[in-house]
């Protein structure tokens, strides 16, 4: 197997309401505690405190999710057991995104990747029923 060119990537941090299909994603070049805090700050603006609703973030055990310096605002955290991403509803959204929009996509241009990713995310965000169906908890 040969490798040609450089590896390009973009990181998406997202949250989804599995009941309504509402979601909020942001694209970053990398992920660390400062980037995750930026995401949390923006998420807190988009998803306000509601006295009658719990706002729970399901997180894996990435080091930037567990930094003591993080301000989670009005969100509660539920950390997944190690090596269990299948328990996180947003992982199913990422699988759907890849299958629907990236199965036959190739580029060596970072901006083309980001543009394609933005388009794919907007398509998903504009279809909350599809997101809810994909991310729903099954009983």
């Amino acid at each position: 197997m040969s490798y040609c060119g450089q590896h390009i990537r973009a990181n998406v941090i997202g949250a989804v309401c599995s009941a309504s299909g509402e979601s909020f994603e942001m694209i970053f070049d990398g992920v660390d505690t400062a980037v995750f805090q930026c995401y949390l700050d923006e998420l807190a603006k988009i998803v306000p405190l509601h006295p009658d609703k719990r706002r729970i973030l399901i997180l894996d055990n990435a080091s930037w999710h567990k930094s003591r310096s993080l301000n989670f605002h009005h969100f509660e955290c539920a950390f997944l057991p190690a090596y269990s991403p299948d328990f996180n509803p947003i992982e199913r959204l990422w699988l759907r995104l890849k299958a629907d929009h990236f199965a036959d996509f190739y580029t060596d241009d970072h901006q083309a990747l980001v543009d394609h990713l933005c388009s794919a995310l907007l398509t998903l965000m504009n279809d909350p029923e599809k997101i809810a169906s994909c991310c729903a908890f099954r009983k």
Side-chain angles (χ1 to χ4, degrees):
M1 181 172 163
S2 64
Y3 179 72
C4 181
Q6 65 182 10
H7 182 76
I8 60 169
R9 65 181 298 144
N11 296 279
V12 179
I13 301 177
V16 63
C17 175
S18 57
S20 70
E22 294 172 284
S23 67
F24 177 70
E25 296 86 17
M26 292 176 69
I27 302 170
F28 297 95
D29 286 333
V31 182
D32 60 16
T33 301
V35 167
F36 188 57
Q37 185 62 64
C38 175
Y39 178 79
L40 290 171
D41 295 343
E42 294 304 313
L43 182 63
K45 294 175 190 174
I46 298 296
V47 181
L49 175 64
H50 192 287
D52 299 327
K53 291 184 180 180
R54 293 173 67 195
R55 306 294 193 182
I56 302 171
L57 294 177
I58 300 173
L59 303 166
D60 64 22
N61 290 285
S63 61
W64 55 82
H65 291 157
K66 292 193 161 197
S67 173
R68 291 178 188 224
S69 66
L70 288 171
N71 175 0
F72 283 96
H73 301 279
H74 51 275
F75 299 102
E76 297 175 47
C77 297
F79 289 97
L80 293 169
Y83 308 106
S84 59
D86 294 343
F87 293 146
N88 193 339
I90 202 160
E91 294 297 336
R92 293 190 294 277
L93 183 64
W94 300 147
L95 289 173
R96 179 84 276 141
L97 178 83
K98 290 174 186 177
D100 290 352
H101 299 279
F102 288 92
D104 59 356
F105 178 77
Y106 173 80
T107 186
D108 58 1
D109 177 44
H110 184 265
Q111 190 57 50
L113 172 63
V114 170
D115 291 346
H116 191 76
L117 188 52
C118 285
S119 175
L121 287 168
L122 284 172
T123 298
L124 276 176
M125 290 170 71
N126 287 328
D127 192 353
E129 288 179 10
K130 184 174 191 172
I131 292 174
S133 172
C134 171
C135 296
F137 287 102
R138 309 281 191 253
K139 294 184 181 184

